[in-house]
Amino acid sequence: RGWIMTNLCTSVWVPDPDAVWISAQLLHDYNPGEKHLLLQLSDGTVRFHPVVSPSDLPPLGNPDILEGENDLTALSFLHEPAVLHNLRIRFLDYSSIYTYCGIVLVAINPYDQLPIYGEEVIDAYSGQDMADMEPHIFSVAEEAYRTMTREEKNQSIIISGESGSGKTVSAKFTMRYFAVVGGAAQQTSVEERVLASNPIMEAIGNAKTTRNDNSSRFGKYIEIGFGRKGNIIGANMRTYLLEKSRVVFQASAERNYHIFYQLCASRDFPEMRSLKLAAPENFRYTSQGGEMQIPGTDDLSDLERTRNAFTILGVQSDQQMELFRILAAILHLGNVNIQASGRNSDRSYIDADDGSLAVFSKLLGVEGPQMAHWLCHRRLTVGGEMLVKPVSGQQAVEARDALAKHIYGQLFTWTVQTLNSALRSQRGKPTSFIGVLDIYGFETFDRNSFEQFCINYANEKLQQQFNRHVFHLEQEEYVREELEWSRIEFSDNQQCISLIEGQLGLLDLLDEECRMPKGSDESWVRKLYDQHVSSKPHPHFRKPRMSNSAFIVLHFADMVQYECDSFLDKNRDTVFEELINILKASQSELVAELFQQQVNPSVANGSLRSGKRAHREHKLTVGFQVSDLSIVKILTLYSPHNNLDERVTLNFIRTVQGLLKDRTDSPPPQLLMDVRRVFPVTFPSSPPPLPHADQLDIPDALKISFLRKV
Ligand SMILES: Nc1ncnc2c1ncn2[C@@H]1O[C@H](COP(=O)(O)OP(=O)(O)OP(=O)(O)O)[C@@H](O)[C@H]1O
Ligand SMILES: *[C@@H]1O[C@H](CO)[C@@H](O)[C@H](O)[C@H]1NC(C)=O
Ligand SMILES: *[C@@H]1O[C@H](CO)[C@@H](O)[C@H](O)[C@H]1NC(C)=O
Ligand SMILES: *[C@@H]1O[C@H](CO)[C@@H](O)[C@H](O)[C@H]1NC(C)=O
Ligand SMILES: [Mg+2]
C-alpha cells in the first residue's frame, strides 16, 4: 500500500486531540502484521501506536529538505498533516501567506496588514514568468494578464473559500493589479472608476456576520475589459443572490447592510436632516442583532468613502440623496406598527397617526393611507369577482417586510445597473477581458435556511467546475508524461448536484410545492423524506433523527442541516401588486423608475416557474428562482466541456482562514475543515509508490486528482 518502512522514512504524523497532528519518529522498523508501532512524539514522549488494520498506519512525514516548499505538489507525501505543516511553516518561518498547489494559488488570511501589496511589488511581478517568482496574488494576476495579451485568450480568476477567508480582499488586489498594469500612460479615469465600484458594492452588499465583519452577502462577477494594447477600457459586473432577508432580520451579533449604519451615523448632517434618521438602536431593521458598532470601524468615515466613490462614478449628490432617501424610508417602514384586531386577530390596522408611516410616505412621495390600507388588506378574485379581504397582523407584518426587501432589492439592482453604465467602455468593444469571480463561500451556521442552501448549492457547482478542470488538466499531463493513469480516481460531486437540481430533486419538489394552493414547508420536507429516504435513499440526503422539519445534505465540503421553515415563502418571495402600484405612482422619479420594471431583469427568464400559475391572489413573484441562478449560468458558461473553454482560461485562488487569528478554539477546527476542503487529493499508484487515497479517509465526493510535478 505504499507504506514502506526504510531508514529514509522514519517520520510520521499521528492525530492529536490538541495539536490536530503531531509529528513522531519511528523507533523500530515496522513489519506487516505487527500490531503496534513504537513512536517517539516530537514532545519527547514514547508510546505505542496501535495498528489494527493497514488503514491505521499513520501518514508519512516528508523529507526535511522539502519543508516550506512553495508548491504543495512538490511534496513527496501530500496529505492533510503535510499540507497543514507546510502552510504553517511558510506562514510562521517565511511570513509567506501564498503557496501554490499545482494550478491553484492558496492564500492564507493573515488578518494583518502586510507590506506586500505596494506598487513596487506590482512592478516586480509585472512582466515576469510565474515560475520565476514566489507565489503571490500578483503572480496569478500577471499570468492572467500575460496570457490575455499574448495569446489573446480571455481569462477568469475564480476565487473561492469560506466566509471570512479573504476572497473579497484578494479580488480587490487583482483588480488593483490590473488597474496599475493596464493603466494607460496618460492616467485615465477608467481604472479609478473600476476600483471605486468596490466601496459602493461593499456598502450596499456587505454586512457584519458572526464570521466576518465585512461579509459579502451577494456574489459578484466582474469582467474587466481591455483594449488592443492591454489597457483597461471598461468593466461590467454581474451580481447574484443578494441576501435580501437581512434587510428585515439579523441574527444575534450580526448587522444589516453597512449602508444603513453609515446613514444613521450621518443623521446630524444638515443635508440628512430631512431623512429623520436616528441612532440604529431606534430602528427595528438595524437593531435586531443587538450590536450596532463594529470595533475598529467608523461608519461615518465609511459613508464619506461611499459618497466619494459614487461621485467618481458620476452619480451626482442629488441622485445620491434620492438613494439615501429610499434607504431611510426602508428603515422607517420597519418601524410601522401593525396592530392586530378582530375577534380571532384575523384583521389588522395601522394607526392613522403612525409617525413612521408618515415619514415613510413622505420620503417616497406616496399616499400613506393607501399604503396602510393595502398592508392590512388583500385583493382576491373568487369566481371572477374581486373581493377585498382583511389580513391578520402576522400577514400584514410579512407584507411590510416583503415590501422592504423588495425595495432594497430593486435599489441594489438599480445601483449595479448605474455602475455598469458608468463603467461601460467609451472606446468600443473590448478586445478581451479578465473576469474575477468572488463567490461567497460555503457556509454553515447553527441554523441554516434557504439563503445558506442557495449559497452552498452555488459552491457545489463551483466545486464541480474546479474538479473537472483539474481532472482535465491532469489527464493531459499524464498523457504527456506517458504515465499509466488507469488508476487515477475521479469522483465528481454530480450526485449531490443532481439531488438538488435534478428531476424530483430538492428544487423540483420545492417548485411543485410552491405551485400547490395548500403547499407548506412541512409537506415539502415530507415529500423529500418520501422521495430521498424511503423510496430511494439518496447517498447525499438524510433526515435528522430528532426533527421532522429539517433535512441534511451531504455537500462536498460538509454535512449541513437545513431547517425547512419558510423555504416556500423565500422561494416565492411575494410582494402584493397593490403595494407596488402605490410605489409606481410615486412622485419621486427614482422610486417610480425602480418599480416600472416589475421583475428583476437578471431573473426574468425563469426556467421552471415561468408564469402559468393560477394565483387567486394578486401578487407578483419577484424573487430569484433558484433554478435560474445566474451564478450557475456563469459556471456552466466556463465548463471545460463547453467549447468556450478553448477561449477562456481559468485561474484558481483558494483562500484559507488564518492560522493564527486570535482563535481561542485551539486547535482551530475551522481551519482544519477548510484545509480538508482545499486539498482533497488522490494519487496515482505508480510510479513511484505513494500512500493511497483510501488511507486518507476522505469521503468520495472530496476526491480530486492533482497534478504531480515529476
Ligand atoms: N491579504 C490580506 N491581508 C490582510 N488582511 C486580510 C487579507 N485577506 C483578508 N484579510 C482580512 O480578513 C477579512 C475578511 O476578508 P474578506 O472580507 O475578503 O473575506 P471573504 O472571503 O470575502 O468573506 P465572505 O465570504 O464573508 O465575503 C478582511 O476584512 C481583512 O481584515
Ligand atoms: C470593510 O473593508 C473596508 C476595506 O476594504 C474597510 O475600509 C471598511 O472599514 C470595512 N468595513 C467594516 C464594517 O469592517
Ligand atoms: C474575448 O472576449 C471579447 C469580449 O467579450 C470577445 O469579443 C472576444 O471574441 C473574446 N476572445 C476570444 C479569443 O474568445
Ligand atoms: C429573456 O429571453 C428572451 C428570449 O428568450 C430574450 O430576448 C431576453 O433578452 C431575455 N431577457 C433577459 C433579461 O435575459
Ligand atoms: Mg467577501
Side-chain angles (χ1 to χ4, degrees), residues 232-272:
I232 296 187
I233 60 170
N236 183 67
M237 75 178 130
R238 278 184 268 185
T239 58
Y240 41 87
L241 277 178
L242 175 71
E243 184 188 58
K244 280 192 286 181
S245 58
R246 183 167 297 271
V247 175
V248 301
F249 175 76
Q250 307 92 43
S252 169
E254 302 207 341
R255 294 209 316 180
N256 205 327
Y257 290 102
H258 292 330
I259 188 70
F260 289 115
Y261 304 87
Q262 296 178 5
L263 285 177
C264 287
S266 74
R267 59 189 174 272
D268 291 331
F269 287 2
E271 71 274 25
M272 298 289 187

Side-chain angles (χ1 to χ4, degrees), residues 676-693:
R676 282 191 181 141
R677 285 173 202 175
V678 175
F679 310 104
V681 281
T682 64
F683 300 92
S685 60
S686 69
L690 290 172
H692 194 265

Side-chain angles (χ1 to χ4, degrees), residues 601-602 604-605:
S602 67
N605 285 347

